[in-house]
Amino acid sequence: MLLSHDYNSRRSSAASQSRNIRMTVLKNMFKKVAFTRSTAKKVLLVLCLMALPSWLLLYWNNSSESPKPFPSMAVGIYNSHVLDSSFEGFVGRDNGRTSAIPISPIERSWTYRCVNNRCVRHHFVDGVEEDFETTGGNNLHQQTQQQTHGGTGSSSSSTNPASGKRIPFLTCTMTCGPINIWPQPTGATKIGSKTSRFRLSDMHVKVVTPGFGAVEKLLHEASDVLRTEIRGVMVARGATLEEIEGAVPAGTVPAGVQMASTAEQQRVTADPDDAGSSVKRQSASGNDAGGGFGKIHFFKLVSDKRYDVDAFEVNIHVEKSGDTHLTMHTDESYNVTVTHSARVLIVKITANTFFGAKHGLTTLQQLIWFDDEERTLKVLNKVSIEDVPKFNYRGLMLDTSRHYFTVDAIKRTLVGMSHSKLNRFHWHITDSQSFPLVSKYYPQLARYGAYSEREVYTPDDVRELAAFAKVRGIQIIPEIDAPAHAGNGWDWGPKHGLGELSLCINQQPWSNYCGEPPCGQLNPKNNNTYLILQRLYEELLEIVGPLDYFHIGGDEVNLECWQQHFNDSDMRTLWCDFMLQAYHRLQLASTRQNMTAPRMVGVWSSGLTSAPCLSKGAFAVQVWGGSKWPENFQLINGGYSLVISHVDAWYLDCGFGSWRSTGEGACSPYRNWQTVYKHRPWEEMKLTSLQMRQILGGEACLWTEQVDESILDARLWPRASALAERLWTDPIEERYSESVPLEVYNRMSVFRNHLLELGLRAEPIFPKYCAQNQDECV
């Protein structure tokens, strides 16, 4: 990490160099144009032409508060986030990236060889590999490896890198040992080890559907996202504009993108693969001072001989359904094949739905990486994958009431979900602490309940997130928790003639009336409360619907709160009445939006959930208690469908100590990714095949008492990805084994780095030494 004063001085140096560039360019241009009356018009034209790129350079250099360090001044390589408009055309804005995510620097002193299906690290000094005992040949793969998935074996042939070239770790691990796809495919999988080098500009996508216009549009958008993210990864890995695009006209270098340094120019020109190529580079200042920064390259063509293909064709076939809304019965299966013949790389993705095809694109992206030695994109060129998830509901819940999270932070979460093949974002929008949702019908809720006027979600924000999620194959499930967890934001009723909408708001001592401060519980005998809920349901369904699953809360109702206001002899009946009324209002809201009502309504498990008033056909229960709690068996035996979120395995906020001095304010211990991964509750409960039909899937939950935006990514990733493989693949392991298989560690390490490249601050799973030395630490 750079020290602040050092970083500022380097920024100042960069700004000075930028000014020098502009002055040098102007001087050179004036030297080339004679100041005569006959050339006055030419001068004026030149000045006009120069004004635009100079202004852009000034804007790019000054508008970024944290510019990407250049090779001559950086200790590591960084990617850059939420890109401003000047960068939008190059990398795109809607990529959910964050600023200044540390990416591992190029390991120029190490090279890797595949030995016994694992990558072994060796010194690489001055272009020579040291201390490697040659056992036969100079191949990247010393052996043929056998990989078995779904009962079908596949062999990977060896590759022959050019002598004297360093083999980066990522290239080694992608072509050596178990298949690096997360989550692991469930069907027959065959992947060879040979690679093809390609240009991103040669990738072309063709979508074939039997008239499914909406599906075709979404898939083209999803393909654009894939291309944008690959570009972003190249930028994060320090790729130059020439390496990304292949040809660079003058004045098109966005902020944060490097032009090639002199050393890189010499290395590329001297590359034997580039012999005879026409590579033209020209510095406006006529010298190489300052490395890559401070140089304007008027044009550069990258030799075709650096690449193995002239065309990268991605053909996507969606054959059966034109539906673009996820349901509990959506077919998310897909097949992917990759072949390479006559300098043409052909990818075929076949699926029955948009969602399956989107998963196929996600898998394809994991077969692609940037080789920082050869400075090109690579892809495994012999692939056959059949894949289908084991569970349809693969969720992640985020609480945005206890702390507010920006739209960009939520987008980053959706990016991580998409690449992990999680498909349902359970958005716990409101709680007793704050009400950040701006309702067009009842703006008082946010006016009285939000932390500040800026910490809110407008309808446009929700609409933007819903569109962002849909392209990534994710359904947003909003939750307005009720009747409990409803305090701040609901206290304006009497002032507007609507009566008490919520009771026990901020009441003390809070421990008597709620699980944590502040208290608040909706009034079950005020009809205006139900009307407001109906209007909120209407708004949310209009933006994110139609939905076949909707969550209405029902968590931790405190009967003592109601007892001090009502004389009903059975408070459980009062709770039943409230839940049934809320369900009825959801039906009315669907009708008003001309939508089919959600087929199933989710509620949190509690001591009240098993009440006979809730129809097992209409209500699904999200089980959050311990995995051995009796409620698990009671609900299964009662015939309810379950979404599992066991606190002892899939609560990601646990293990950080108590946040208050009284009461139980924390759960322990910390749930590491291995704990998340190993949890197979259906196995522990010994469910029959018939009972397994009641398990819709699972969901990781992040409550945010001790989480804000600064640490959101690290709390979620890669632990939520561990849940993703459990729900997608559900690998069967030794029943009594407490450890995670070695190959899972290796794949998780690679995938965690993939999340970093995408801009997520995923926490490390072990020291970097362990990543560089596979299997040694585990």
Side-chain angles (χ1 to χ4, degrees), residues 30-85:
F30 278 112
K31 287 179 182 179
K32 294 179 182 180
V33 181
F35 285 97
T36 63
R37 185 181 301 271
S38 61
T39 60
K41 292 182 179 180
K42 294 181 180 179
V43 173
L44 181 61
L45 178 60
V46 168
L47 288 174
C48 292
L49 290 174
M50 288 301 302
L52 180 58
S54 296
W55 178 84
L56 288 175
L57 282 170
L58 178 63
Y59 175 77
W60 287 325
N61 202 39
N62 295 335
S63 62
S64 175
E65 293 183 2
S66 54
K68 180 176 185 279
F70 293 92
S72 60
M73 46 169 120
V75 196
I77 296 175
Y78 293 79
N79 69 10
S80 54
H81 161 34
V82 186
L83 310 158
D84 60 31
S85 58

Side-chain angles (χ1 to χ4, degrees), residues 326-327 423-426 469 473-477 546-549:
L326 194 67
T327 73
N423 63 354
R424 283 179 170 83
F425 177 63
H426 178 179
I474 300 168
Q475 179 189 69
I476 290 183
I477 299 173
L547 300 175
D548 77 326
Y549 181 91

